[in-house]
């Protein structure tokens, strides 16, 4: 059986394909949510869905990644309980299953993809989700921050049910979600997603066109790239750049610290997507950013980026 290019998500044949046509109870709250990927973003999406009362299945690529995902969820929910954000971490955890089999998503009403920012991996995954998810009106969503939603929709037999639902890190804290329909997404799909995001998850949604960067990253990433170029040229240190924006512009954190939080690989992927679409020099990834990604210095998630972390 072939495997998707980067993360080990099995893409088997469709011999076990689940028949479609399941009645998902239209008009009620979403009860069954699926998430693919249990990294920072996937775990956060799973957490907020479970905190809203939904039963959540999270799929990871292998047992080791699933174990790390469970630990990430346990730690986050334990912190939330200690801070009085939730009554019981164990109760929320009881609504989450972390597994390694994509077939466990067959009965989901909403599935959110949150794997690596790689177009080949995502398109292979959406082809497989199209085979597996039995409800023909289920929302197949991507949390991508850079890949056009149309490219994901057209590899399925139901592009009208495919859209972007882009959360922001840390998902349990930040309230914004970007809703990104493609040219093929049905209006009813977008409105169901809006209801889920706002009424069930308690987030605030904004509407975006299916173009690189959507709204926030199309504004934010060129700003971060400018800060990287400023540091790269020796004009100012990372500390002074960030301190200047925090103290002089009332930003909660500086652009380089923010890049470390986002992940330098994700920052580079969004920059490349923006540059490919618009060919504007301000979107081009600076050489320093490319070298740091090549070296595996990706920010907080690897312990070192523009700063060093414990």
């Amino acid at each position: 059986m072939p495997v998707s290019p980067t993360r080990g998500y099995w893409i088997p044949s469709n011999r076990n394909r689940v028949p479609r046509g399941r009645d998902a109870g239209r008009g009620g709250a979403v009860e069954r949510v699926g998430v693919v990927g249990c990294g920072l973003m996937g775990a956060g999406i799973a957490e907020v869905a479970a905190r809203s009362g939904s039963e959540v299945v999270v799929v990871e690529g292998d047992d080791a990644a699933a174990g790390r995902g469970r630990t990430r969820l346990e730690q986050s929910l334990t912190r939330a309980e200690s801070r009085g954000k939730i009554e019981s971490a164990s109760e929320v955890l009881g609504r989450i299953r972390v597994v390694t089999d994509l077939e466990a998503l067959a009965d989901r009403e909403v599935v959110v993809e949150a794997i690596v920012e790689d177009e080949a991996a995502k398109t292979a995954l959406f082809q497989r989700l199209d085979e597996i998810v039995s409800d023909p009106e289920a929302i197949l969503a991507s949390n991508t921050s850079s890949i056009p939603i149309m490219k994901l929709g057209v590899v399925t037999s139901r592009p009208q049910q495919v859209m972007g639902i882009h959360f922001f890190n840390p998902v349990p804290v930040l309230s914004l979600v970007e809703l990104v329909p493609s040219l093929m997404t049905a209006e009813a799909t977008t409105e169901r997603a809006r209801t889920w995001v706002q009424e069930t998850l308690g987030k605030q949604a904004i509407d975006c066109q299916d173009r690189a960067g959507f709204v926030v990253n199309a504004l934010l990433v060129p700003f971060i790239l400018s800060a990287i170029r400023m540091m790269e040229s020796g004009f100012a240190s990372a500390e002074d750049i960030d301190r200047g924006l925090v103290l002089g512009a009332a930003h909660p954190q500086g652009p380089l610290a923010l890049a470390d939080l986002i992940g330098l690989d994700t920052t580079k992927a969004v920059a490349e997507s923006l540059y490919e679409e618009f060919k504007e020099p301000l979107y081009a990834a600076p050489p320093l950013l490319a070298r740091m990604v090549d070296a595996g210095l990706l920010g907080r998630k690897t312990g070192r980026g523009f700063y060093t972390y414990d």
Side-chain angles (χ1 to χ4, degrees), residues 11-292:
I11 309 296
S13 69
N14 64 356
R15 64 182 182 276
N16 294 320
R17 182 168 180 165
V18 179
R20 294 180 184 168
R22 177 186 176 93
D23 180 8
R26 290 293 166 261
V30 172
E31 298 177 353
R32 300 181 302 279
V33 175
V35 180
V36 185
C38 202
L40 287 174
M41 293 303 296
I45 296 165
E47 179 179 332
V48 297
R51 284 168 63 166
S52 75
S54 296
E55 185 263 316
V56 183
V57 172
V58 189
V59 181
E60 255 298 355
D62 54 46
D63 289 336
R68 291 191 296 270
R70 290 187 193 96
T71 299
R72 182 175 289 114
L73 285 161
E74 290 167 0
Q75 291 174 341
S76 179
L77 287 165
T78 299
R79 285 194 301 269
E81 181 181 343
S82 68
R83 296 169 182 172
K85 303 295 185 183
I86 59 175
E87 292 186 5
S88 171
S90 61
E91 180 183 342
V92 177
L93 281 168
R95 291 194 285 270
I96 303 173
R97 288 189 295 133
V98 185
V99 302
T100 58
D101 185 2
L102 283 169
E103 298 281 351
L105 301 174
D107 68 342
R108 300 295 94 178
E109 297 167 270
V110 175
V111 177
V112 183
E113 167 274 310
I115 67 171
V116 66
E117 280 292 285
D118 179 271
E119 184 177 324
K122 288 182 187 291
T123 52
L125 175 60
F126 270 81
Q127 287 176 319
R128 187 69 183 116
L129 291 175
D130 186 37
E131 296 176 345
I132 288 171
V133 179
S134 60
D135 178 1
E137 295 187 31
I139 298 173
L140 304 183
S142 176
N143 187 58
T144 181
S145 52
S146 62
I147 295 170
I149 303 303
M150 179 64 79
K151 291 186 176 182
L152 305 179
V154 296
V155 302
T156 74
S157 64
R158 41 176 151 180
Q160 70 277 8
Q161 304 304 130
V162 177
M163 65 178 295
I165 302 181
H166 183 219
F167 295 81
F168 289 80
N169 185 35
V171 179
V173 176
L174 296 185
S175 61
L176 181 66
V177 175
E178 292 178 321
L179 299 180
V180 192
S182 78
L183 292 174
M184 298 295 289
T185 305
E187 184 177 348
T189 301
T190 303
E191 292 311 309
R192 286 176 53 222
R194 189 188 316 279
T195 298
W196 178 59
V197 165
Q198 297 192 154
E199 297 183 12
T200 303
L201 302 185
K203 301 291 187 181
Q204 296 295 318
I206 61 173
D207 296 314
C208 309
Q209 291 186 9
D210 184 18
R211 47 183 277 172
F214 311 142
V215 170
V216 173
N217 281 324
L219 296 170
L220 179 62
V221 168
F223 169 63
I224 292 175
L225 299 180
S226 180
I228 296 172
R229 292 189 190 98
M230 180 175 284
M231 175 192 170
E232 184 178 44
S233 70
F235 188 88
S237 67
E239 292 80 1
D240 283 345
I241 292 168
D242 282 353
R243 192 163 179 248
L245 269 296
V246 170
L247 299 180
H251 288 203
Q253 64 184 135
L256 300 175
L258 179 57
D260 277 356
L261 177 62
I262 294 169
L264 301 193
D265 52 342
T266 300
T267 302
K268 178 174 177 284
V270 177
E272 290 173 342
S273 179
L274 287 164
Y275 185 75
E276 180 181 355
E277 184 146 316
F278 301 111
K279 301 298 189 291
E280 294 284 350
L282 77 162
Y283 297 133
L288 175 61
L289 177 61
R291 299 298 182 272
M292 292 177 74

Side-chain angles (χ1 to χ4, degrees), residues 288-305:
L288 175 61
L289 177 61
R291 299 298 182 272
M292 292 177 74
V293 172
D294 289 342
L297 307 178
L298 307 182
R300 285 183 176 272
K301 60 187 172 185
T302 59
R304 183 179 169 193

